Amino acid sequence: MKKVAGVALLTLLSAWTLVAAGDEITVPLRFDRYYLPVEINDALKALHKAYPELTVLEEVGRSDEGRSLYAMTVNNPKTGAPLEKPGIYVDGNIHGNEIQGGDISLYLLDYLLGGYGHNKEITELVDRICFYVVPVVNVDGRYHFMTDPNTASSNRSLRIPTDDDRDGLVDEDFPDDIDGDGNICQMRKKDPFGRLKTDSEDARLMIPVKPGEKGEWSLLGHEGLDNDGDGRVNEDSEGYVDPNRNWGFDWAPPYVQQGSGEYPFSGTGMKALAEWIMIKSNICVGWSFHNYGGMYLRGPSRKGLGEFPPQDISVYDFIGRQAERITPGYRYLIGWKDLYTTYGDSVEWLTQIMGAYGYVAEVFQAQAETFRGNAEKPAPPEEERPGMAMLEEGITDRERIRFNDHLAQGELFKPWTPFKHPTYGDIEIGGWVKMSSRLSAPFMIKDLVHRNAMVVIFSAKHLPEVELEVTEIKAVGKNLFRVRTRLANPRAVPTMSYLAQKVKLYPKDMLKVSGAGAKVVAGGLLTDPYRDQVTYKKNNPETQFLVVPGFGKVEHQFLIEGKGELEVSYESRHGGKRTKTAVLE
Ligand SMILES: [Ca+2]
Ligand SMILES: [Ca+2]
Ligand SMILES: [Ca+2]
Ligand SMILES: [Ca+2]
Ligand SMILES: [Zn+2]
């Protein structure tokens, strides 16, 4: 009887976390559990198979362990090539254990492709812009997180062997799943001098002893053995090179930024991805999905980089504040100021090297797993660093364990169990399991992936949508015409960020006027159409350089000699291409 119950429990556990691989992945995709790495690739292949005209599936490169890193481009070739349209970039799971980003990316793809031709808004969006989606950046990390025993916070790293404790050996003493349940939990030992005692409210939990009070338990750290026999347990696990500190903008060596790697882009997958992104010169907005905390963060990632230009901040704010509304509880914050400083992170690279508006999303809030009635809600704290507070605030273990009991039927916490440890003797193993703490419970995945995909879609709708008009052709003399043009953009994102303009990251948009029988004698920015005020350009007046602002317009005036057909063409990295013809008469 007991044995049967044990088997049933094991089956239940795997249903809660990972259904056995082998089910065929079909479109539309399902979001009732997290996809295994191989299933992510199968899902991408299934999407490509179902929507071959709208998708390109590419291997961007290989990881340090040789796994394929895939990207999917969603573009309708009938409305133009990708680089002729504004582009948006989305990635996830750069930290191996932060797997939700992979599932959010798949949901976004499934939603866009499934909605195309059925939903008007999605059809228009897919026809107008190009999506670049990399569901899993750290493919080795996702593989090892989901396949190997782990804590909720382990296997973040790139698989570049690193000697963390400087003993001359690399990755020689990792956490060990000594009770074989697939989790790395905690070890504790009876200890009258320990700093913890059993919580009288719930015997599974421990609380700190008061000064002078007798102790009961000492925590011995993560489950494991002393693999190399040096007297220390688990002192050098896989990596650690942090894939999100290894990028080539504002990189700093490991003595400044822990885990940055020996040099920027030392991770082969990171380098391949950067090279792949760099060709996508149309990327206007970039999103990178992490866990946890419930935040949408903009840069700069370090105070010393200086604040972004105010016009860029208003774009960030417009999207960020809407994101807060789409995902209640999340907060739109500034990386260095509200959370912490980072060097060499991927979104700062997207912002500063690609000229994109970059956001880091920290999905999942511990507060979503509260177990509180209305009267039990505490007042929100006032804090100096709200992002840090969102990481720490969370909920108490007493509350989490009731969520575990009543909403997860015990799946999130392993009861303390006696174990004979070769180094520590009689100990107990127990605590929070791998698929807890930073990952939404499966019943909440759909809500998580949907809201975050809608945030991406909102920002995608605000990629520049440039409209070119010839607003006036007026004879002002013999064979002389005054021609006025207008470039308007009803969306929030300009055709070039103000940061990119400030540092002259790449050439501005170009407006050209030409005609076989026409000679442009003067041309410039029309600053006041009513009082005919123009800032004329000194040389080559037929070619004007400009940026079309968000929610705005830019107008030009040309004085043209001659007659006949006139072509006005506009070309922009982020705003696409437009052409208009007119006749001088
Ligand atoms: Ca070592
Ligand atoms: Ca274990
Ligand atoms: Ca050791
Ligand atoms: Ca170990
Ligand atoms: Zn992360």
Side-chain angles (χ1 to χ4, degrees):
M1 190 64 203
K2 213 172 179 186
K3 207 167 185 181
V4 172
V7 169
L9 181 66
L10 209 72
T11 315
L12 261 178
L13 266 171
S14 54
W16 177 263
T17 54
L18 315 168
V19 173
D23 313 352
E24 204 197 330
I25 307 288
T26 51
V27 171
L29 303 175
R30 288 171 57 176
F31 294 89
D32 48 6
R33 63 181 176 89
Y34 295 103
Y35 281 91
L36 292 166
V38 61
E39 294 174 323
I40 294 252
N41 297 344
D42 287 349
L44 288 171
K45 286 168 192 161
L47 286 167
H48 179 57
K49 200 177 157 199
Y51 308 100
E53 310 85 19
L54 294 175
T55 58
V56 175
L57 180 59
E58 277 173 272
E59 185 190 79
V60 164
R62 294 283 177 103
S63 68
D64 299 290
E65 286 187 337
R67 289 189 179 80
S68 297
L69 206 170
Y70 285 113
M72 179 164 271
T73 302
V74 175
N75 179 64
N76 183 0
K78 289 185 187 137
T79 57
L83 290 182
E84 291 170 0
K85 298 171 186 172
I88 187 165
Y89 172 81
V90 179
D91 75 29
N93 211 173
I94 192 167
H95 287 132
N97 62 316
E98 300 177 4
I99 61 175
Q100 292 102 321
D103 303 77
I104 291 167
S105 299
L106 285 186
Y107 185 86
L108 173 69
L109 290 166
D110 193 57
Y111 193 91
L112 291 171
L113 296 165
Y116 187 81
H118 300 285
N119 175 287
K120 185 172 163 281
E121 301 273 315
I122 294 300
T123 307
E124 281 173 11
L125 190 65
V126 171
D127 280 341
R128 187 171 83 77
I129 75 163
C130 167
F131 289 82
Y132 301 113
V133 184
V134 182
V136 181
V137 174
N138 186 356
V139 283
D140 296 340
R142 189 183 185 99
Y143 173 82
H144 288 288
F145 175 75
M146 295 189 84
T147 312
D148 303 346
N150 274 295
T151 72
S153 298
S154 57
N155 260 287
R156 302 166 63 71
S157 175
L158 291 174
R159 287 274 156 167
I160 299 175
T162 307
D163 182 8
D164 300 336
D165 61 336
R166 303 188 184 200
D167 66 347
L169 303 169
V170 291
D171 300 357
E172 75 282 2
D173 194 343
F174 36 86
D176 312 78
D177 179 16
I178 50 184
D179 63 1
D181 71 343
N183 296 296
I184 300 296
C185 288
Q186 296 278 317
M187 302 188 292
R188 70 176 188 180
K189 191 171 172 64
K190 276 261 182 225
D191 179 3
F193 298 98
R195 304 312 302 151
L196 297 165
K197 62 176 184 182
T198 300
D199 186 348
S200 59
E201 260 194 30
D202 192 311
R204 293 168 293 180
L205 303 177
M206 294 177 286
I207 52 171
V209 294
K210 295 195 185 85
E213 203 178 11
K214 205 171 164 237
E216 191 179 355
W217 300 104
S218 268
L219 268 180
L220 300 170
H222 291 139
E223 192 179 334
L225 307 168
D226 176 12
N227 307 85
D228 60 339
D230 70 343
R232 291 186 296 159
V233 176
N234 301 348
E235 75 280 4
D236 189 346
S237 66
E238 96 291 341
Y240 186 88
V241 176
D242 187 325
N244 201 30
R245 304 290 184 274
N246 191 235
W247 287 63
F249 179 82
D250 201 36
W251 180 89
Y255 62 84
V256 175
Q257 170 65 73
Q258 205 203 341
S260 61
E262 287 181 19
Y263 49 90
F265 296 124
S266 57
T268 57
M270 299 310 103
K271 180 166 178 282
L273 180 56
E275 284 171 350
W276 186 84
I277 295 172
M278 286 198 83
I279 307 164
K280 278 66 184 170
S281 55
N282 58 337
I283 294 172
C284 305
V285 169
W287 288 92
S288 187
F289 283 91
H290 291 245
N291 80 31
Y292 69 103
M295 293 175 249
Y296 297 116
L297 297 158
R298 70 160 170 95
S301 55
R302 182 168 68 82
K303 188 183 185 183
L305 294 172
E307 181 55 293
F308 294 148
Q311 302 96 322
D312 283 344
I313 294 173
S314 42
V315 176
Y316 279 112
D317 289 355
F318 178 77
I319 295 170
R321 286 180 188 142
Q322 186 73 354
E324 281 185 334
R325 297 181 186 109
I326 292 173
T327 316
Y330 282 37
R331 287 181 68 180
Y332 160 60
L333 298 169
I334 300 168
W336 74 267
K337 185 163 161 274
D338 299 321
L339 189 60
Y340 43 65
T341 293
T342 55
Y343 294 81
D345 84 51
S346 68
V347 167
E348 198 66 24
W349 182 90
L350 270 178
T351 304
Q352 305 263 2
I353 299 296
M354 297 303 295
Y357 290 90
Y359 292 89
V360 172
E362 293 282 359
V363 306
F364 178 73
Q365 286 194 292
Q367 293 91 322
E369 297 189 350
T370 48
F371 196 76
R372 286 172 199 164
N374 268 337
E376 297 167 307
K377 283 197 181 112
E382 299 268 331
E383 342 77 6
E384 204 167 288
R385 275 186 190 261
M388 284 308 287
M390 292 184 83
L391 295 188
E392 287 154 9
E393 185 186 351
I395 54 173
T396 65
D397 273 356
R398 286 177 179 175
E399 199 172 340
R400 281 174 80 195
I401 207 134
R402 283 184 284 150
F403 181 91
N404 166 64
D405 292 344
H406 302 298
L407 281 114
Q409 304 303 326
E411 301 271 2
L412 304 180
F413 189 91
K414 181 190 170 67
W416 294 99
T417 315
F419 189 86
K420 272 241 184 291
H421 192 279
T423 310
Y424 297 125
D426 285 321
I427 63 160
E428 291 185 2
I429 296 173
W432 300 100
V433 302
K434 174 169 84 172
M435 300 301 278
S436 73
S437 312
R438 302 171 67 131
L439 294 168
S440 297
F443 77 90
M444 296 194 284
I445 293 176
K446 186 96 188 250
D447 183 81
L448 175 105
V449 296
H450 180 79
R451 287 185 192 278
N452 283 288
M454 295 309 112
V455 168
V456 171
I457 287 176
F458 177 78
S459 68
K461 285 182 172 177
H462 279 284
L463 262 50
E465 184 172 17
V466 176
E467 196 188 325
L468 168 63
E469 275 180 286
V470 178
T471 51
E472 186 190 279
I473 299 175
K474 186 178 172 185
V476 290
K478 191 167 182 276
N479 256 2
L480 186 67
F481 293 88
R482 189 176 85 179
V483 175
R484 286 178 171 181
T485 62
R486 183 191 298 138
L487 288 154
N489 174 17
R491 308 297 180 175
V493 176
T495 58
M496 187 172 184
S497 78
Y498 291 83
L499 177 71
Q501 293 176 49
K502 196 173 116 188
V503 302
K504 298 187 164 62
L505 197 57
Y506 54 83
K508 290 183 174 180
D509 306 351
M510 223 162 51
L511 180 69
K512 262 189 177 170
V513 177
S514 62
K519 182 178 187 293
V520 179
V521 293
L525 186 70
L526 180 61
T527 52
D528 187 334
Y530 309 108
R531 293 185 297 150
D532 198 19
Q533 289 186 350
V534 182
T535 311
Y536 283 105
K537 182 166 168 263
K538 210 168 169 189
N539 300 312
N540 305 334
E542 68 281 1
T543 304
Q544 300 286 328
F545 296 97
L546 62 113
V547 172
V548 189
F551 296 133
K553 63 174 170 51
V554 57
E555 294 176 309
H556 288 82
Q557 177 164 307
F558 299 90
L559 296 173
I560 303 173
E561 262 178 15
K563 58 182 178 192
E565 189 132 302
L566 195 69
E567 187 180 275
V568 183
S569 65
Y570 165 80
E571 195 176 333
S572 161
R573 287 201 184 198
H574 289 189
K577 287 180 180 175
R578 302 285 184 274
T579 312
K580 276 274 150 79
T581 53
V583 179
L584 298 174
E585 57 185 9

